[in-house]
Amino acid sequence: MAYKFDFGAIVPHWQLLFDGVILTTELTVIGAVVGVGLGIMGAWARASRAPVISQIVGVYVELIRNTPFLVQLFFIFFGLPALGVKLTEFQAAVLAMIVNLGAYSTEIIRAGILAIPQGQIEAAQSLAMNRVQIFRYVVILPALKKIWPALSSQIVIVMLGSSVCSQIAAEELTFGANYIQALNFRAFEVYFVVTGLYLVMSILLRMGLKVLGNFLFERRRHV
Amino acid sequence: MSEFSLWDIVYNLLLAARWTVLLSLTAFVLGGLVGLLLLMVRTAGNPWVIRLVRGYVELFQGTPLLMQLFIVFFGLPLIGLDVSPWVAATLGLTLFTSAFLTEIWRGCVESIGKGQWEASASLGMNFTQQMRYIVLPQALRIAVPPTVGFSVQVVKGTAVASIIGFVELTKAGTMITNATYEPFTVYGCVAVMYFLICYPLSLFARHLEGKFRHVAR
Amino acid sequence: MKQFFKTAIAAVAMLAAPLGAASASALDSISEAGVLKVAVPQDFPPFGSVGTDMQPKGYDIDMAALIAEELGVKLELVPVTSSNRIPYLNTGKVDLVISSLGKNPDREKVIDFSDPYAPFYNGVFGPADFSVEKAADLVGMSVGVTRGAIEDLELTKIAPSDVDIKRYEDNNGTISAFLSGQVDLIATGNVTAAAIIERDPPRKPEPKFLIKNSPCYVGLNKEEPELMAKVNEIIAASIADGRLNAIAEKWLGIPLPEKL
């Protein structure tokens, strides 16, 4: 019964894996940029004193954080058409990732905002900065800097989580893996290779986020 | 064609939810123990141990849990080590959970000022004593809320155990959908059940967070 | 801990032993264990889906029961998905895969296939207002299909390049995509399409054209000639005495064709 590995059987299908890596990257980048943007707005709403908006955002965050991503994805892809909104699998996958990361980053960034000492905000007010200026320079940048590692981890988690988008026929990396193994039944070989690819991608992503963090936050110290 | 009433759907999902809870508990308890062990050796350890633990964390945080379980369950038999689904799930989920928990806790331990280590060392405390009396009591307070928060991730993470044959909540949902062709009813119920398991945990985490923030100030 | 070391040592010992030293034949170990472990689908009615008791039932399950009965052993069903059924077989966690498997040359390099045990006609289906009679008419349309199923592989071969083939994880994804209008047409088995029409949905998958007659085979590990011979013998006998025909009429609603 000794199984004979044949990694060569994957080679003819490399294009599927390559396309998968590209699509997973696209999903992650768009999802991360827009999702974190959504998170900043959400955190602002949560921290603001407008009760209704703050509560709506609170419900959104709890709904998303306490249900599986796959279920969210299904509702967006199969559910929205019933309401007349038809999205392609790529749009649905991106939207699901944005909505998901938006909720998590709202929570993470909110924690960062709460950690900003009240005195700093008061100091900024006494310098006659307006609300937007205060939020931008005194609140959000220091807050983001503080929670950047946690946010980076969440982005990596979302990238790995994008693997379930294959269920709605988005042709990302796991799609490629499952398709290849359906073609040639070489599940082990494919999964080993794909696991390695995910690992490389998440290490690169983490490094990229670190560089981005340095660029965003460290430089400003000297300004 | 089988006819599922709404009650059949809910009943079967509830049965499957037991697996979700059991897998989550196992993963969380064992993952916590291993995570604690890793935290200890990492905090005390020499550069090589630190590098090793870092690699471990990178590996299990940087690859999909699905693939990890697949390789444990189907890969070990290839080298002649047959594991039951239960052992594979326990092992896979423990590795995964411990990697995350050890990272969360490392941050908490590192937030304890260096001066405290030095002060306790100057009192002649050894590493175990420092940990036991100085660092852990303080770190624990910071660590509890994110740890409880992470338990929500573990609960949702158990869904991938279906790849090795566990019929837990998500899998049961898929199976029933395939028999009924009613994805909305079924996945709606699945979402509600996850919410019912996870939301109390989230609330608890938030409660602890508020409590400890108060103490810390 | 002691147990762990024992296991670890055993593992190392097994690694050291030449892997090629094959164990007893699969047939012998099945009769010795008294249990036949079969991988069956739970997401593909009428071949295999769950009843309200969550137990699998369907054509494939009845076939598995028939083989176990002939071998005089107990049957253990292992519900699988299309992405893990072959690893189950390769790692010896099951003895047979009876999961409406279709055959192709690449797959034959990894596992062996028995004689066919069930008919399977797949084709393209869709609402009446799509006028499609052959693969070439599909230009510019989107077709949903279950990833890696035989109809996927065949359709990919014959469809013009600008047909948008969407490949879903399982049968349910494919059907949901069709019913919700995410794809224009669906490529699937004729029995699946018939089952959907029976439920009278707003979008009906009416037959457009046949892709392929692609019967189902029992999957076995390579180099198990005795088990293969036995399975083929059972299939032949059950065709001859009408038992397989009864299974076909029960689940597919049609008698077995003259020749599978």
Side-chain angles (χ1 to χ4, degrees):
Chain A
M1 198 208 66
Y3 184 79
K4 290 181 195 69
F5 280 93
D6 179 10
F7 283 94
I10 303 177
V11 177
H13 306 292
W14 69 271
Q15 181 81 37
L16 278 166
L17 292 181
F18 181 77
D19 292 348
V21 169
I22 299 291
L23 195 78
T24 297
T25 310
E26 282 175 18
L27 286 173
T28 309
V29 170
I30 302 176
V33 171
V34 186
V36 171
L38 188 64
I40 292 175
M41 292 197 298
W44 193 5
R46 287 288 270 165
S48 78
R49 305 211 160 77
V52 178
I53 299 180
S54 172
Q55 273 164 9
I56 293 175
V57 173
V59 170
Y60 153 70
V61 168
E62 293 303 338
L63 273 183
I64 297 297
R65 291 209 317 160
N66 293 300
T67 52
F69 179 61
L70 179 64
V71 175
Q72 296 159 15
L73 186 68
F74 278 175
F75 272 95
I76 289 175
F77 188 67
F78 296 124
L80 288 185
L83 303 174
V85 185
K86 208 152 115 187
L87 301 172
T88 66
E89 64 278 0
F90 180 75
Q91 292 163 341
V94 166
L95 182 61
M97 289 179 72
I98 291 171
V99 167
N100 189 276
L101 186 62
Y104 279 96
S105 52
T106 295
E107 267 311 276
I108 295 173
I109 296 169
R110 190 181 71 104
I113 291 178
L114 286 178
I116 304 289
Q118 194 64 31
Q120 286 192 14
I121 297 171
E122 283 159 12
Q125 280 166 345
S126 72
L127 288 175
M129 288 171 101
N130 64 33
R131 280 187 57 170
V132 176
Q133 284 174 324
I134 293 178
F135 187 73
R136 183 166 164 204
Y137 296 110
V138 184
V139 179
I140 198 67
L141 271 177
L144 276 179
K145 182 183 173 190
K146 207 171 170 74
I147 49 82
W148 194 250
L151 196 59
S152 303
S153 298
Q154 192 61 43
I155 293 173
V156 173
I157 291 174
V158 167
M159 183 198 78
L160 296 176
S162 72
S163 62
V164 302
C165 296
S166 63
Q167 302 242 357
I168 60 162
E171 303 186 359
E172 41 73 57
L173 188 49
T174 304
F175 176 95
N178 284 334
Y179 194 39
I180 293 173
Q181 76 100 0
L183 292 173
N184 62 14
F185 282 1
R186 296 278 176 191
F188 298 111
E189 289 89 338
V190 174
Y191 279 12
F192 274 125
V193 170
V194 167
T195 305
L197 285 174
Y198 270 115
L199 185 59
V200 170
M201 287 173 76
S202 69
I203 290 174
L204 288 178
L205 180 59
R206 207 174 273 281
M207 278 164 45
L209 287 167
K210 201 164 189 179
V211 170
L212 181 64
N214 288 343
F215 173 76
L216 282 179
F217 310 121
E218 298 304 323
R219 211 181 47 144
R220 284 169 208 263
R221 256 193 203 162
H222 311 292
V223 172
Chain B
M1 197 72 31
S2 55
E3 284 304 335
F4 279 78
S5 66
L6 182 62
W7 165 243
D8 288 325
I9 294 174
V10 172
Y11 176 74
N12 282 311
L13 289 178
L14 278 176
L15 289 183
R18 294 179 307 178
W19 278 111
T20 297
V21 173
L22 190 63
L23 284 168
S24 308
L25 281 177
T26 315
F28 199 67
V29 171
L30 292 179
L33 289 176
V34 175
L36 195 62
L37 198 75
L38 287 173
L39 176 71
M40 291 297 184
V41 299
R42 194 187 195 288
T43 316
N46 61 40
W48 277 105
V49 176
I50 292 177
R51 218 163 288 165
L52 218 62
V53 175
R54 199 182 292 157
Y56 174 93
V57 170
E58 192 78 67
L59 180 64
F60 291 104
Q61 283 194 347
T63 53
L65 178 57
L66 179 82
M67 305 285 176
Q68 295 168 21
L69 279 184
F70 183 90
I71 287 170
V72 170
F73 186 55
F74 294 112
L76 288 183
L78 288 185
I79 57 168
L81 200 66
D82 198 18
V83 288
S84 71
W86 201 192
V87 172
T90 307
L91 191 62
L93 289 168
T94 301
L95 293 172
F96 169 80
T97 311
S98 65
F100 275 90
L101 286 179
T102 202
E103 254 324 83
I104 293 176
W105 294 341
R106 182 178 66 87
C108 300
V109 168
E110 281 178 1
S111 72
I112 306 298
K114 215 173 170 198
Q116 304 212 19
W117 284 96
E118 289 165 357
S120 51
S122 72
L123 290 174
M125 286 189 176
N126 61 28
F127 176 73
T128 323
Q129 288 169 325
Q130 284 176 309
M131 270 293 188
R132 164 81 183 75
Y133 296 107
I134 309 295
V135 178
L136 280 186
Q138 299 182 66
L140 217 56
R141 214 168 53 192
I142 318 173
V144 168
T147 305
V148 178
F150 178 71
S151 67
V152 174
Q153 302 303 311
V154 177
V155 172
K156 291 193 279 173
T158 56
V160 301
S162 61
I163 185 91
I164 58 175
F166 278 99
V167 181
E168 44 60 62
L169 198 42
T170 304
K171 182 67 187 174
T174 318
M175 287 166 77
I176 297 172
T177 311
N178 275 309
T180 59
Y181 299 137
E182 284 174 18
F184 286 108
T185 323
V186 180
Y187 285 116
C189 293
V190 170
V192 168
M193 284 187 201
Y194 271 107
F195 191 81
L196 290 180
I197 299 173
C198 295
Y199 188 55
L201 287 172
S202 295
L203 276 185
F204 186 49
R206 168 129 336 134
H207 169 74
L208 292 173
E209 201 181 332
K211 205 166 151 185
F212 288 137
R213 190 183 308 126
H214 190 66
V215 174
R217 276 189 184 167
Chain C
M1 212 50 179
K2 213 172 187 181
Q3 188 58 41
F4 171 79
F5 278 117
K6 268 190 199 160
T7 320
I9 289 166
V12 173
M14 277 187 198
L15 272 180
L19 278 169
S23 46
S25 87
L27 186 57
D28 290 343
S29 44
I30 291 168
S31 28
E32 204 172 294
V35 179
L36 177 71
K37 287 176 286 182
V38 184
V40 293
Q42 26 68 4
D43 59 356
F44 197 48
F47 287 92
S49 66
V50 291
T52 47
D53 55 357
M54 294 301 273
Q55 293 305 309
K57 57 176 191 162
Y59 192 117
D60 288 347
I61 286 84
D62 283 3
M63 187 68 215
L66 193 152
I67 293 178
E69 190 190 324
E70 287 295 309
L71 291 175
V73 293
K74 269 196 281 186
L75 174 65
E76 187 185 324
L77 295 173
V78 181
V80 294
T81 64
S82 58
S83 56
N84 67 14
R85 58 191 180 186
I86 301 308
Y88 265 104
L89 182 65
N90 286 153
T91 54
K93 290 177 189 291
V94 298
D95 305 306
L96 299 174
V97 174
I98 305 184
S99 176
S100 34
L101 273 185
K103 187 157 81 167
N104 79 12
D106 262 355
R107 292 176 170 186
E108 278 180 288
K109 287 180 201 155
V110 185
I111 64 169
D112 280 343
F113 292 92
S114 73
D115 292 337
Y117 70 91
F120 193 79
Y121 302 95
N122 49 50
V124 170
F125 302 80
D129 47 341
F130 284 87
S131 59
V132 173
E133 282 169 4
K134 54 188 184 302
D137 298 341
L138 292 171
V139 171
M141 298 178 185
S142 59
V143 185
V145 64
T146 302
R147 177 166 59 228
I150 289 294
E151 56 267 25
D152 177 9
L153 309 185
E154 292 299 325
L155 185 64
T156 308
K157 262 189 251 165
I158 59 171
S161 59
D162 54 354
V163 177
D164 195 5
I165 302 178
K166 304 280 189 203
R167 301 179 175 88
Y168 297 91
E169 183 94 0
D170 58 12
N171 206 30
N172 173 57
T174 314
I175 293 170
S176 301
F178 173 74
L179 293 180
S180 63
Q182 290 283 10
V183 289
D184 300 325
L185 302 158
I186 180 172
T188 186
N190 56 343
V191 283
T192 313
I196 304 171
I197 289 183
E198 221 171 84
R199 308 188 146 242
D200 200 25
R203 298 191 88 224
K204 289 187 184 49
E206 285 161 20
K208 298 297 179 191
F209 64 89
L210 182 75
I211 301 174
K212 198 180 188 214
N213 170 15
S214 157
C216 309
Y217 303 81
V218 176
L220 305 83
N221 268 317
K222 289 215 150 286
E223 287 158 33
E224 295 293 352
E226 290 165 40
L227 183 59
M228 169 76 96
K230 192 74 193 168
V231 168
N232 283 339
E233 184 191 316
I234 294 171
I235 293 174
S238 61
I239 291 175
D241 64 16
R243 277 182 298 167
L244 201 57
N245 192 46
I247 296 178
E249 288 192 340
K250 176 177 168 195
W251 293 106
L252 309 181
I254 46 165
L256 275 188
E258 279 295 297
K259 191 178 177 308
L260 271 172

